[in-house]
Each structure stands twice: as structure tokens, then as C-alpha cells.
Amino acid sequence: MIKYIIFSILFVILVVIIFIAVSDIRFRKIKNVTYTIESEKIKKSVKAVFVSDFHNCGDIGEIVKRIENISPDVVFLGGDLVDRISGFQQGYELANILVRKYNCYFAPGNHEYGLKNSEEVLSDLQKIGVKVLEDKVEKVTINGNKIDICGVYDGVKLSENSMATQLKNVNYNSNKENYRILLAHFPVYAKSYFRYKFDLILSGHEHGGMISLPHKDKGLIGHKGFFPTFSGGEYVKENSVLIVSRGISYPKYNYILPRLFNNPELVVINIKGLNKENGQNSN
């Protein structure tokens, strides 16, 4: 009887392992995820691509090809382009290819600051033309729209107070009449981001909760426990939209943990105008 119970348990464990392995391979395939946002501040549509959590690992050729097929007006690079374990070479290569074709704006994440030569890497990115936004605001015009691109940095040494200071700075230095985009790696501060009423907020870090619950924008495992509040997908509060990327890194980095119901993703964002009087799209 005991042998039968043990055998049954081992069989169940084996089935679970096989299921995870097969599912893991399936959900390592990259996909495009598209969001459409409307704003009264936009006159002519803007198409943006958001690449986050590359972690110095992925199929650069496929990522670049996908972005070329989208033909975006601007590219946003989320934090953890590099990785504190495997380094920065592939992350730098990806950025170097993209910045030759598109205007690229980048807010660093915890892995950038985890590198021993972090300042050198960020400096090199700036030298090739990537706009590195560490507590900075870039005022740009895209398709006739005035857009303020704000960036805060999320180093592992930062405290919550430091983040609050940065948010106050970029809020003060940006124009609320313009369409304001905030690049901020950690979605855990989402309530603070919403408080300043940025029009669009782009985050990453949580990797979709590692294991996403099917058909829901909810992850199982976060960096600080189970069921992170903002693990991946779109979250709206009043006129602010937060988009959390599940990350684009694959496959080697993600062998550490499985990706179940949780593909690596390239985020595509269509920002369209909205006529205030009749609520109709103005594009």
C-alpha cells in the first residue's frame, strides 16, 4: 500500500514536471501586445514601441525585425536592458541597432545599477545616441504633438523617499498641458505615479508575475511575494494609463524560472487623439 502511494505521488510529480517543461517551451515565444490609448492632448496619432527587461539575452534579429515591421515613431527602452550576471554586450548591441533607426529613450532599472561599471555602460549608451533619463525630462515634438518624456531611475540603492523626490522633480519640470509619458521601471510605485497624473506610465520588472494566471492580467509570483498588484498588462486610473511589460528576455535568462501562460512580449502602443466635444477619435 505504501509503495503504491509513493509511486502515485512520484507519477503525479513527473506529470507536473512534464507539463511545466512543455508549457515553458511554448510560452517562451515572443509576441506583440498592442494597446490603444486616446487623449485630448494628441492631434495626430503616435505609434510607440516599448522594450523592457531584455536582460542582455534574446533574439536581437527577431526583435529588430518585429520593430521594423511596426515602423514606430519612437522607441522606449525600459529598465534591465542589461543584466548584472551576464553583462551588457547584447543589451548594448540591441540599443545600438535601434538608435540608428529610431529616437530611443531609456530609464534604467535595478540591473543597470547592479553592474560594477554601471556609470560607464550608461555613458556609452548616451554616446551612441540613446537618451538616458535619470531624473530628467525630454521635451519633444512627435507628429506635431508636444510630448514630455520623463524618466526616473530605479537603482537598488534607492529608497522610497528618493523615488518621491524624483517624481516631484519630473512633475515640476514637465508641462501638464503636454502629453506626459513617464518611464519608471518599478510598478510597485504605481500609486505614486498615478498621483502625479502622468498620461502614460511605462514599467516592467515583474516579468508578468513569472507565472501568469490564464486570461487575466495577474501574476502569481512577484519580486516581493505572491500575486503582485501590477505584474503585467494595462491599468487605468482616471486619465492615467499604466502599462507594465512582461519583459522580452528569452530564452536563457528565463530558464531560471518557468514562463507559464506568460509569453515574452514586445509592447506596441497606439496613442490617438480624442475630440473632447463629441468623444470621437480625431485621427
Side-chain angles (χ1 to χ4, degrees):
M1 183 66 179
I2 295 178
K3 290 183 179 180
Y4 176 77
I5 294 174
I6 294 175
F7 176 80
S8 299
I9 293 173
L10 291 176
F11 178 76
V12 171
I13 292 174
L14 178 62
V15 170
V16 170
I17 291 174
I18 293 174
F19 170 77
I20 290 175
V22 172
S23 300
D24 192 29
I25 292 172
R26 175 187 173 190
F27 288 103
R28 289 185 191 279
K29 296 180 180 178
I30 189 173
K31 68 175 182 179
N32 291 5
V33 178
T34 302
Y35 300 92
T36 299
I37 301 171
E38 297 180 340
S39 173
E40 298 166 0
K41 299 179 181 179
I42 296 296
K43 300 176 182 177
K44 185 178 179 181
S45 294
V46 175
K47 183 181 292 184
V49 161
F50 180 43
V51 179
S52 187
D53 294 271
F54 178 67
H55 281 284
N56 197 52
C57 184
D59 189 332
I60 293 175
E62 180 181 356
I63 294 171
V64 172
K65 184 177 179 179
R66 283 176 176 269
I67 294 175
E68 288 176 341
N69 289 338
I70 295 164
S71 189
D73 299 303
V74 62
V75 172
F76 298 116
L77 300 173
D80 293 356
L81 177 67
V82 305
D83 188 85
R84 64 173 175 264
I85 297 174
S86 61
F88 63 89
Q89 290 82 2
Q90 288 194 55
Y92 181 87
E93 180 183 349
L94 175 61
N96 194 32
I97 294 172
L98 293 178
V99 78
R100 294 177 184 179
K101 302 179 180 182
Y102 313 100
N103 290 322
C104 296
Y105 299 88
F106 171 58
N110 50 298
H111 275 261
E112 274 74 37
Y113 296 105
L115 294 172
K116 292 181 179 179
N117 60 336
S118 60
E119 294 302 320
E120 180 182 345
V121 169
L122 294 177
S123 176
D124 287 343
L125 287 172
Q126 292 188 86
K127 287 178 182 178
I128 63 174
V130 175
K131 299 293 184 181
V132 179
L133 303 180
E134 297 179 282
D135 192 6
K136 292 181 180 178
V137 178
E138 285 282 333
K139 296 180 178 294
V140 301
T141 300
I142 303 176
N143 295 343
N145 305 292
K146 292 183 178 181
I147 298 177
D148 288 5
I149 305 172
C150 311
V152 293
Y153 57 95
D154 297 320
V156 291
K157 296 181 180 180
L158 289 182
S159 67
E160 190 169 349
N161 288 333
S162 298
M163 178 57 63
T165 299
Q166 290 182 67
L167 289 173
K168 288 180 181 178
N169 290 341
V170 296
N171 179 65
Y172 177 80
N173 292 318
S174 59
N175 187 344
K176 296 178 180 61
E177 299 298 317
N178 298 340
Y179 191 83
R180 299 195 303 161
I181 299 174
L182 175 68
L183 305 182
H185 186 61
F186 288 166
V188 69
Y189 298 114
K191 292 182 180 179
S192 295
Y193 306 155
F194 284 134
R195 190 177 303 127
Y196 286 99
K197 302 184 184 302
F198 294 98
D199 298 286
L200 174 62
I201 306 155
L202 301 177
S203 297
H205 188 63
E206 289 292 354
H207 300 187
M210 308 298 182
I211 301 174
S212 287
L213 302 180
H215 312 299
K216 294 183 179 181
D217 284 341
K218 192 71 175 177
L220 178 62
I221 305 172
H223 282 76
K224 293 186 177 181
F226 291 97
F227 303 109
T229 304
F230 306 99
S231 57
E234 181 180 26
Y235 309 86
V236 180
K237 183 175 181 179
E238 296 177 356
N239 292 325
S240 294
V241 177
L242 166 65
I243 294 175
V244 181
S245 170
R246 293 175 175 84
I248 203 167
S249 173
Y250 79 103
K252 294 180 181 178
Y253 181 83
N254 290 311
Y255 285 158
I256 299 173
L257 288 173
R259 290 190 76 111
L260 300 181
F261 315 109
N262 182 31
N263 296 75
E265 63 184 26
L266 178 67
V267 175
V268 184
I269 307 165
N270 295 313
I271 310 172
K272 298 184 176 182
L274 182 66
N275 188 310
K276 186 175 182 180
E277 292 184 1
N278 55 27
Q280 298 295 315
N281 190 291
S282 61
N283 295 282

